[in-house]
């Protein structure tokens, strides 16, 4: 598999610079098509349409090849400077990126050939030298090479030199060459007039006890890590990109194309890999693969189901009900719906009141439940209650585990926000919040806590809600209570900002990137019913979602899908609503639940094609894509089933019968289908 | 019916359920202290929150015939008083839609 001597000689004649990593490329070259390359040398001279000659390896005449190879590559001269006649793409830029890509993957010979044929070089020998110096830690020559790379002005040059010296300093420290490091600090870094803070930070690294400590504190992954490559990337800013092409530039452009295609893909729910993002075609997800039919109905609760949360493994679903129980359901999310087993693993009783929220610990070993002012910790392996916490003096409305799993935070209508450790020992109380907390969440980046809640209603405004419409439970002083979102700094526990939002806020969910929160609210004074996507960075509403109904109840929403590109919410009209997050377009309005509110929805964290909803109808529904055989079944039949289902009123009993039957799986898929209510 | 949180009142003086401290009414919506219930003194309020209303039934009271509903605390279920649906005597019409809370079942809450 090695290249023979003559090959290397020929290589020299075409290669502009011999890259040290040539090893793998020559292997690849000889393994796949090196002979082919040699055999089409004539083609090179006469035609620039690459890859047309598919001559068999046998055609190559081994003996004469090297000489021919070396001499046969002549530069192709083309008219104009663009890639195509009507193109705006500069040919030189394009070819240089191709050369770079070829080099990156190890097709060194091909890259050299292309350089020879096109007359363009990926980069000058000076750049190659500079790159080599950085990667080999040849700092003296790196400095010299830098001088020849056209850095715009002296100021910039100093900044670039500082970065190099900094790397040098860190590497010396890492190698425990303290004296040499000190020398660099004093004679190279200090004279460069950088701000004293960063210099101070660098000098304090002298105190690190060992290399591991150093890497940790410097946020630097060491000489043998990616730090030199990262340094090259940082230095890129100082060198004109036409001189030194940014690393993996072609891949960056392709990534941008992918991101653009993804932004246009409303039903985007496919994992990112080469199969779903082929370069040959524009990406578009199949709408039929979207979770929009009920594949299971979970009926064990004896009263309204108010809340849901998936375990982090995606294998268990916890539900909270007005029936004073929480249930841990085992859901084999990766199995085919027709053979999947869904059953209650544990029914967690002993709650003195209806259960309002549930929260899984990071390792799924503990489930927290809250019922009125009680918090309970349950061992999820035994189903036993490990602790009961009664520190809150009013309803606990929110339970949120910290991102590092070290503990959790509870919030309640008593205005308390309490920090507990994982065993349920009270660590800290945040003092009285100005709001009665109705929900809270901790950002995954561990920096902020976002709480939503309500202020007390002014008492002297008699409201129309007093009419005994529904057992009077809600007969409230219907005045406009001022509601707020408070963003707390997780470290100082102090409010960072207050966000004014009208209406009663009932849920808050944070996005994976910690930047956005989704807030459900009951509208007030004729305001439209909207879910807000709030941008914590820009402090503004980024998107509003409408179409669902929320007037008086606690309704919750969630992000969903493979990249969190969906927003799903419950609604008081027994329907699940799903929007495209970035555009706000309503994708689905899924019917199927019986009368009452759909109180909460939860997307499976491990299976992007599955979510669950819970309702006043005492059931939980699992939603998935229609099975392939049914998706192709006649629409009429599906529609007919749906009508029949709706005709039996609540529809619940019927659906269960179907589900219990041996053919259940086959016949009832259409139940939750919303073929008529897809709104785009 | 869906999940909902109890209402919280704001005022100089807030009356709550003596058993579970659930907010019920404020002094601002009090109309009269001159009523009597089963446990002694009772107050008439314009507005009461967090109560569940029972079935209507007719009762003969010292001021005549009324249609009333018992009201219960929505958290602990204790009977707190009643609500007037209808007063048959013209002079008592002002009570319609108003609430009686028994003083002994109330506590000052925050």
């Amino acid at each position: 598999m090695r290249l023979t001597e003559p090959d290397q000689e020929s290589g020299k004649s075409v290669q502009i610079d011999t890259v040290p990593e040539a090893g793998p490329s020559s292997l690849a070259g000889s393994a796949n098509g090196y002979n082919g390359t040699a055999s089409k040398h004539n083609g090179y001279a006469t035609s620039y349409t690459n890859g047309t000659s598919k001559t068999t390896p046998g055609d190559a005449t081994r003996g004469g090849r090297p000489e021919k190879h070396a001499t046969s590559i002549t530069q192709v001269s083309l008219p104009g400077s663009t890639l195509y006649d009507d193109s705006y793409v500069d040919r030189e830029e394009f070819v240089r990126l191709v050369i770079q890509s070829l080099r990156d993957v190890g097709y060194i010979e091909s890259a050299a050939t292309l350089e020879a044929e096109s007359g363009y070089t990926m980069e000058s020998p000076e750049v190659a030298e500079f790159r080599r110096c950085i990667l080999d830690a040849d700092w003296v020559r790196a400095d010299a090479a830098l001088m020849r790379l056209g850095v715009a002005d002296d100021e910039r040059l100093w900044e670039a030199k500082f970065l190099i010296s900094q790397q040098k300093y860190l590497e010396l420290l890492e190698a425990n060459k303290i004296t040499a490091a000190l020398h660099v600090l004093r004679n190279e870094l200090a004279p460069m007039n950088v701000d004293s803070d960063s210099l101070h930070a660098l000098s304090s690294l002298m105190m690190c006890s060992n290399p591991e400590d150093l890497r940790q504190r410097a946020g630097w992954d060491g000489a043998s890590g990616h730090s030199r490559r990262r340094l090259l990337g940082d230095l890129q800013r100082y060198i004109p990109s036409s001189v030194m092409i940014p690393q993996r530039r072609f891949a960056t452009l392709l990534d941008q194309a992918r991101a653009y295609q993804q932004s246009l893909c409303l039903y985007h729910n496919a994992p990112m890999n080469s199969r779903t993002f082929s370069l040959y075609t524009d990406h578009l997800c199949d709408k039929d693969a979207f979770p929009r039919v009920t594949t299971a109905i979970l009926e064990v609760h004896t009263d309204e189901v108010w809340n849901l949360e998936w375990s982090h493994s995606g294998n268990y679903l916890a539900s909270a009900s007005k029936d004073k129980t929480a249930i841990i359901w085992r859901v084999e999310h990766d199995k085919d719906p027709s053979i999947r087993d869904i059953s209650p693993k544990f029914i967690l009783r002993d709650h003195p009141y209806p259960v309002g929220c549930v929260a899984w610990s990071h390792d799924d070993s503990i489930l927290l439940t809250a019922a009125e002012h009680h918090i309970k910790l349950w061992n999820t392996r035994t189903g036993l209650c490990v602790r009961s916490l009664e520190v809150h003096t009013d309803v606990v409305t929110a339970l949120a585990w910290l991102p590092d799993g070290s503990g959790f935070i509870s919030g309640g209508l008593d205005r308390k926000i309490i920090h507990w450790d994982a065993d349920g020992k009270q660590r800290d109380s945040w003092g009285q919040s100005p709001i009665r907390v109705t929900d809270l969440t901790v950002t995954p980046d561990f920096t902020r806590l976002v709480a939503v809640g309500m202020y007390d209603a002014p008492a002297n405004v008699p409201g129309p809600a007093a009419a005994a419409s529904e057992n009077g439970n809600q007969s409230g002083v219907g005045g406009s209570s001022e509601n707020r979102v408070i963003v707390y700094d997780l470290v100082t526990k102090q409010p960072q900002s207050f966000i004014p939002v009208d209406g009663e806020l009932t849920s808050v969910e944070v996005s994976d990137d910690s930047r956005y929160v989704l807030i459900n609210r009951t509208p007030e004074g004729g305001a439209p019913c909207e879910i807000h996507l709030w941008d914590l960075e820009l402090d503004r509403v980024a998107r509003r979602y409408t179409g669902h109904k929320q007037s008086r109840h606690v309704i919750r929403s969630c992000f969903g899908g493979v990249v969190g590109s969906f927003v799903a919410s419950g609604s008081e009209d027994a329907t699940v609503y799903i929007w495209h997050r970035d555009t706000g377009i309503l994708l689905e309005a899924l019917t199927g639940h019986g009368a009452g509110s759909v109180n909460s929805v939860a997307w499976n964290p491990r299976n992007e094609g599955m979510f669950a909803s819970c309702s006043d109808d005492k059931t939980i529904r699992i939603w998935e894509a229609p099975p392939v055989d049914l998706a192709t079944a006649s629409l009429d039949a599906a529609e007919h089933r749906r009508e029949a289902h709706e005709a039996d009123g609540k529809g619940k009993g019927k659906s269960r019968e179907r589900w219990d039957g041996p053919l259940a799986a086959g016949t009832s898929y259409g139940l939750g289908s919303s073929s008529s209510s897809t709104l785009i | 019916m869906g999940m909902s949180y109890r209402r919280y009142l704001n005022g100089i003086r807030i009356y709550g359920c003596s058993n579970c401290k659930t907010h019920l009414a404020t002094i601002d919506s009090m109309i009269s202290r001159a009523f009597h219930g089963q446990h002694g003194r009772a107050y008439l309020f314009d507005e009461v929150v967090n109560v569940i209303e029972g079935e209507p039934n007719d009762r003969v009271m010292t001021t005549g015939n009324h249609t009333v509903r018992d009201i219960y605390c929505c958290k602990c279920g204790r009977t707190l008083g009643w609500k007037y649906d209808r007063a048959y005597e013209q002079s008592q019409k002002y009570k319609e839609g108003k609430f009686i809370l028994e003083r002994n079942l109330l506590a000052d809450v925050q």
Side-chain angles (χ1 to χ4, degrees):
Chain A
M1 295 295 279
R2 285 272 156 92
L3 289 180
T4 51
E5 276 317 299
D7 284 327
Q8 286 180 354
E9 273 170 30
S10 85
K12 271 179 202 152
S13 63
V14 287
Q15 269 176 308
I16 309 304
D17 60 324
T18 343
V19 184
E21 306 102 297
S25 85
S26 20
L27 285 178
S30 61
N32 70 12
Y34 187 85
N35 289 334
T37 314
S39 71
K40 59 184 173 184
H41 54 262
N42 285 327
Y44 276 136
T46 55
S47 149
Y48 54 89
T49 50
N50 263 354
T52 46
S53 54
K54 286 248 157 64
T55 24
T56 57
D59 287 358
T61 43
R62 273 217 157 265
R65 181 164 49 84
E67 296 77 34
K68 280 188 182 174
H69 184 70
T71 54
S72 64
I73 298 172
T74 52
Q75 188 178 329
V76 177
S77 73
L78 298 169
S81 64
T82 55
L83 186 57
Y84 301 111
D85 285 348
D86 52 353
S87 165
Y88 61 89
V89 176
D90 184 84
R91 191 171 60 237
E92 176 175 353
E93 291 186 4
F94 175 80
V95 171
R96 288 179 68 195
L97 294 195
V98 172
I99 297 168
Q100 185 193 38
S101 311
L102 291 173
R103 285 245 165 88
D104 282 350
V105 296
Y107 296 142
I108 309 297
E109 293 287 336
S110 303
T113 306
L114 181 50
E115 283 189 333
E117 192 178 16
S118 65
Y120 304 128
T121 51
M122 180 183 112
E123 56 191 17
S124 65
E126 287 82 13
V127 175
E129 164 77 358
F130 177 67
R131 188 188 305 280
R132 190 198 58 75
C133 291
I134 295 292
L135 294 178
D136 293 354
D138 188 346
W139 308 121
V140 179
R141 289 169 72 179
D143 262 4
L146 178 64
M147 305 295 284
R148 296 194 292 268
L149 295 184
V151 180
D153 56 61
D154 279 359
E155 182 94 358
R156 309 274 294 160
L157 194 61
W158 282 111
E159 287 176 33
K161 283 192 165 186
F162 178 82
L163 292 178
I164 296 173
S165 292
Q166 178 179 280
Q167 174 81 13
K168 180 177 171 185
Y169 169 73
L170 290 171
E171 290 198 12
L172 286 170
L173 271 189
E174 189 187 29
N176 207 24
K177 294 177 181 158
I178 305 295
T179 320
L182 197 60
H183 187 267
V184 173
L185 186 66
R186 283 192 182 141
N187 301 314
E188 294 184 25
L189 291 165
M192 284 196 200
N193 258 336
V194 289
D195 62 302
S196 56
D197 276 359
S198 48
L199 202 61
H200 184 77
L202 282 174
S203 61
S204 74
L205 294 172
M206 282 270 176
M207 303 300 154
C208 290
S209 50
N210 56 51
E212 184 45 47
D213 187 30
L214 169 76
R215 290 190 288 263
Q216 180 91 33
R217 284 174 49 186
W220 179 78
D221 72 351
S224 55
H226 295 99
S227 67
R228 290 179 192 165
R229 289 216 163 267
R230 203 160 293 149
L231 172 64
L232 262 184
D234 291 341
L235 289 169
Q236 186 76 59
R237 286 202 305 272
Y238 302 94
I239 300 164
S241 50
S242 60
V243 174
M244 183 164 104
I245 305 169
Q247 294 179 52
R248 299 189 171 188
R249 181 61 191 161
F250 221 132
T252 306
L253 293 173
L254 293 177
D255 259 357
Q256 288 168 6
R258 180 196 52 74
Y260 172 71
Q261 289 169 24
Q262 188 174 311
S263 73
L264 298 183
C265 177
L266 285 181
Y267 283 86
H268 183 71
N269 207 17
M272 183 156 52
N273 59 38
S274 53
R275 247 182 326 129
T276 51
F277 282 100
S278 166
L279 295 182
Y280 298 141
T281 55
D282 284 358
H283 168 81
L284 193 66
C285 276
D286 184 4
K287 195 176 151 189
D288 288 332
F290 193 78
R292 59 153 75 128
V293 299
T294 300
T295 52
I297 299 174
L298 283 52
E299 302 182 277
V300 172
H301 281 297
T302 56
D303 208 331
E304 298 169 4
V305 189
W306 285 347
N307 212 338
L308 285 174
E309 192 176 291
W310 288 99
S311 68
H312 296 89
S313 69
N315 287 321
Y316 295 95
L317 179 66
S319 58
S321 168
K322 194 184 178 187
D323 69 7
K324 302 183 185 175
T325 71
I327 296 182
I328 295 178
W329 307 82
R330 192 169 63 106
V331 180
E332 297 170 304
H333 70 78
D334 46 356
K335 288 209 178 146
D336 188 89
S338 57
I339 54 159
R340 177 190 296 140
D341 178 35
I342 299 182
S343 55
K345 187 186 178 203
F346 293 114
I347 299 180
L348 311 176
R349 302 178 199 276
D350 307 331
H351 294 97
Y353 295 97
V355 185
C357 47
V358 283
W360 293 88
S361 66
H362 276 242
D363 60 0
D364 293 338
S365 65
I366 302 170
L367 182 75
L368 303 173
T369 60
E372 278 288 333
H373 58 282
H374 303 258
I375 298 171
K376 284 176 181 286
L377 276 75
W378 303 83
N379 180 322
T380 58
R381 278 179 254 292
T382 61
L384 296 175
C385 179
V386 211
R387 286 197 77 166
S388 284
L389 313 172
E390 293 175 35
V391 175
H392 279 281
T393 51
D394 209 327
V395 184
V396 177
T397 52
L399 297 166
W401 284 89
L402 292 169
D404 65 350
S406 64
F408 61 92
I409 290 181
S410 62
L413 296 180
D414 55 6
R415 297 198 175 92
K416 285 180 188 159
I417 295 175
I418 299 175
H419 177 186
W420 312 80
D421 71 16
D423 301 326
K425 215 175 300 148
Q426 187 176 340
R427 287 262 290 268
D428 209 355
S429 182
W430 287 33
Q432 294 275 303
S433 170
I435 52 172
R436 292 187 186 272
V437 177
T438 53
D439 200 3
L440 63 78
T441 184
V442 176
T443 58
D445 65 6
F446 219 152
T447 61
R448 292 185 270 209
L449 179 147
V450 184
V452 302
M454 51 187 177
Y455 286 95
D456 292 346
N460 47 1
V461 189
S469 51
E470 219 177 300
N471 289 342
N473 189 348
Q474 267 285 310
S475 71
V477 173
S480 61
S481 48
E482 223 183 347
N483 296 282
R484 284 280 194 281
V485 181
I486 304 182
V487 182
Y488 287 93
D489 183 309
L490 205 53
V491 177
T492 65
K493 307 179 183 71
Q494 294 304 309
Q496 234 173 21
S497 58
F498 291 80
I499 304 170
V501 187
D502 292 337
E504 197 160 294
L505 312 182
T506 61
S507 89
V508 59
E509 277 275 314
V510 65
S511 62
D512 285 341
D513 62 4
S514 301
R515 177 166 176 182
Y516 299 94
V517 286
L518 202 55
I519 299 169
N520 268 54
R521 50 188 270 275
T522 60
E524 231 166 43
C529 184
E530 293 171 336
I531 296 169
H532 286 185
L533 182 69
W534 184 269
D535 184 334
L536 292 172
E537 220 155 89
L538 299 178
D539 269 343
R540 62 180 182 89
V541 178
R543 193 64 59 190
R544 295 161 205 267
Y545 308 97
T546 58
H548 66 299
K549 296 206 169 37
Q550 178 171 11
S551 62
R552 49 199 288 141
H553 294 142
V554 177
I555 302 290
R556 299 174 204 269
S557 58
C558 68
F559 292 105
V562 71
V563 287
S565 55
F566 308 122
V567 166
S569 178
S571 172
E572 288 171 13
D573 60 1
T575 306
V576 177
Y577 289 81
I578 303 174
W579 297 266
H580 184 243
R581 172 173 154 186
D582 290 344
T583 60
I585 292 171
L586 181 60
L587 299 177
E588 300 282 347
L590 305 172
T591 55
H593 271 298
S597 295
V598 174
N599 297 306
S600 187
V601 285
W603 215 281
N604 190 306
R606 286 300 178 87
N607 179 348
E608 67 277 355
M610 174 191 269
F611 70 92
S613 60
C614 63
S615 156
D616 285 357
D617 72 3
K618 306 175 190 173
T619 72
I620 296 156
R621 279 174 176 251
I622 305 288
W623 302 83
E624 285 170 277
V628 180
D629 54 338
L630 195 96
T632 54
S634 99
L635 239 171
D636 276 358
E639 198 60 25
H640 180 75
R641 261 200 307 276
R642 209 170 65 84
E643 279 165 17
H645 171 61
E646 280 168 355
D648 72 27
K650 289 171 104 179
K652 177 172 61 104
K654 202 125 200 182
S655 65
R656 179 178 50 191
E657 280 161 31
R658 283 182 189 162
W659 273 96
D660 288 349
L663 286 171
T667 54
S668 51
Y669 278 126
L671 283 179
S673 154
S674 68
S675 45
S676 59
S677 49
T678 305
L679 305 167
I680 53 164
Chain B
M1 193 173 76
M3 183 181 185
S4 51
Y5 296 124
R6 291 188 290 273
R7 309 283 307 197
Y8 290 84
L9 302 171
N10 195 1
I12 312 161
R13 194 162 177 193
I14 304 164
Y15 298 102
C17 169
S18 63
N19 184 42
C20 69
K21 312 294 184 258
T22 293
H23 286 204
L24 297 171
T26 66
I27 197 161
D28 308 277
S29 74
M30 185 186 285
I31 298 167
S32 167
R33 292 172 187 269
F35 279 75
H36 288 276
Q38 286 170 315
H39 305 88
R41 285 278 285 279
Y43 304 148
L44 182 71
F45 288 94
D46 190 38
E47 187 63 53
V48 169
V49 299
N50 300 324
V51 290
I52 295 167
E53 298 173 8
E55 291 303 309
N57 54 67
D58 285 357
R59 278 180 214 166
V60 183
M61 300 188 166
T62 48
T63 49
N65 209 358
H66 295 80
T67 304
V68 300
R69 303 163 177 269
D70 283 338
I71 54 178
Y72 312 96
C73 171
C74 74
K75 181 179 176 187
C76 69
R78 179 173 287 197
T79 309
L80 298 165
W82 61 86
K83 179 188 180 185
Y84 293 101
D85 268 13
R86 187 172 170 209
Y88 291 84
E89 301 276 336
Q90 200 56 41
S91 66
Q92 305 300 318
K93 282 286 182 198
Y94 75 97
K95 294 187 220 162
E96 288 185 0
K98 308 285 193 284
F99 301 82
I100 291 287
L101 292 174
E102 305 223 26
R103 193 184 68 174
N104 283 329
L105 305 177
L106 297 180
D108 282 352
V109 293
Q110 284 302 302

